[in-house]
Amino acid sequence: MATGMLHSHYLFVVLFTLIYLVKTILLLSDKDELLEKFKKKTRILEMIVSFGFLATGIYLMVKLPVIPMLLIIKIALVFLSIPLAVIGYKKKNKVLATFSFFLIIVAFGMGEKTKSTKAGAKIATVNGKEIFNDKCILCHGDNGKLSLNGAKDLSVTPLNHAGIMEMISNGKNSMAAYKDVLTPEQIDAVASYIESDLKGK
Ligand code: HEC
């Protein structure tokens, strides 16, 4: 369900961006008549696309246990670009229109970046907290108490350091094995972070 939603969201975002790309090009090349025609022709489509874009976006967002900072910035950019675009196209202000299009593209690029930091991607940091926030927070929550996808509450884990490392390396049930994603040093660091900052808190 969530993946289907994600695909629809991408489709709406791409359509939305394409409509804006055509509009921006027409405005910049002073094709006022064509722009008016295009706006009229795509009015309904644009309404459907914008609605789909927001509805799927909101649906996906409420499913997330934590909302990453990058996503907040992305949403802020999208919401900032909307009034700028409305004013820009109404007043035929090229600077505003181009700037709002630029904001949409930046937000789009950020979406791509969030994707690449997903579960299986290798990371460079050896800071336990950073590793935890990147890889584990989705199911365990920032304080370790969240139990998404059947995750165990880390604040009451009976496991010792070796047990925690073994759990992270090899996984269990819906928790993936991290031995190919994290280095032994990173697994050690995140295990220490759980023991010092989450366990018994
Ligand atoms: C996809 C969700 C998910 C992610 C992401 C995830 N876990 Fe888990 N975790 C689980 C589940 C589910 C369990 C319970 C497994 C079982 O015992 O059936 C678990 C259990 C654990 C346990 C054992 C707790 C206990 O008391 O038995 C530790 C430790 C742990 N996870 C650490 C981590 C660390 C560190 C990360 C990041 C590197 C991580 N987890 C990422 C789902 C997840």
Side-chain angles (χ1 to χ4, degrees):
M1 180 70 182
T3 16
M5 224 17 135
L6 193 63
H7 289 153
S8 327
H9 185 63
Y10 283 139
L11 184 71
F12 283 126
V13 171
V14 170
L15 282 174
F16 184 82
T17 315
L18 280 179
I19 294 176
Y20 265 85
L21 177 68
V22 175
K23 278 201 201 174
T24 312
I25 293 173
L26 290 177
L27 182 72
L28 290 182
S29 51
D30 292 313
K31 301 254 188 337
D32 285 2
E33 257 172 58
L34 258 171
L35 177 62
E36 285 312 315
K37 248 194 209 156
F38 182 77
K39 277 208 303 214
K40 271 208 186 89
K41 284 248 156 71
T42 54
R43 187 161 292 154
I44 307 267
L45 178 70
E46 197 187 330
M47 263 162 59
I48 297 171
V49 168
S50 316
F51 177 77
F53 170 22
L54 289 180
T56 50
I58 291 168
Y59 174 89
L60 288 170
M61 201 173 72
V62 297
K63 289 268 153 182
L64 285 178
V66 278
I67 301 178
M69 196 57 203
L70 207 60
L71 188 63
I72 298 177
I73 300 175
K74 189 176 142 176
I75 294 166
L77 285 181
V78 171
F79 277 96
L80 183 67
S81 73
I82 292 171
L84 288 182
V86 171
I87 301 170
Y89 287 102
K90 214 162 228 147
K91 303 219 143 117
K92 303 244 182 317
N93 184 322
K94 288 178 187 173
V95 178
L96 269 188
T98 312
F99 185 61
S100 74
F101 185 68
F102 172 75
L103 288 183
I104 295 270
I105 294 296
V106 171
F108 193 63
M110 285 176 124
E112 291 305 303
K113 195 162 179 317
T114 342
K115 235 186 359 190
S116 71
T117 57
K118 280 267 169 66
K122 291 195 164 59
I123 48 172
T125 178
V126 287
N127 178 306
K129 183 175 180 163
E130 283 173 15
I131 299 168
F132 189 85
N133 287 346
D134 194 79
K135 300 287 177 206
C136 323
I137 208 168
L138 201 67
C139 297
H140 290 285
D142 58 354
N143 55 10
K145 293 187 212 283
L146 189 78
S147 301
L148 210 80
N149 298 320
K152 292 247 169 89
D153 181 347
L154 299 180
S155 68
V156 296
T157 178
L159 300 176
N160 61 12
H161 191 78
I164 294 176
M165 279 188 71
E166 147 81 20
M167 181 74 200
I168 302 168
S169 302
N170 299 318
K172 193 173 172 188
N173 296 323
S174 59
M175 176 163 154
Y178 285 89
K179 59 176 179 294
D180 296 328
V181 177
L182 300 173
T183 63
E185 193 189 2
Q186 288 175 317
I187 294 177
D188 189 47
V190 73
S192 300
Y193 170 71
I194 292 173
E195 290 180 287
S196 61
D197 288 71
L198 307 177
K199 198 171 164 177
K201 297 282 153 75

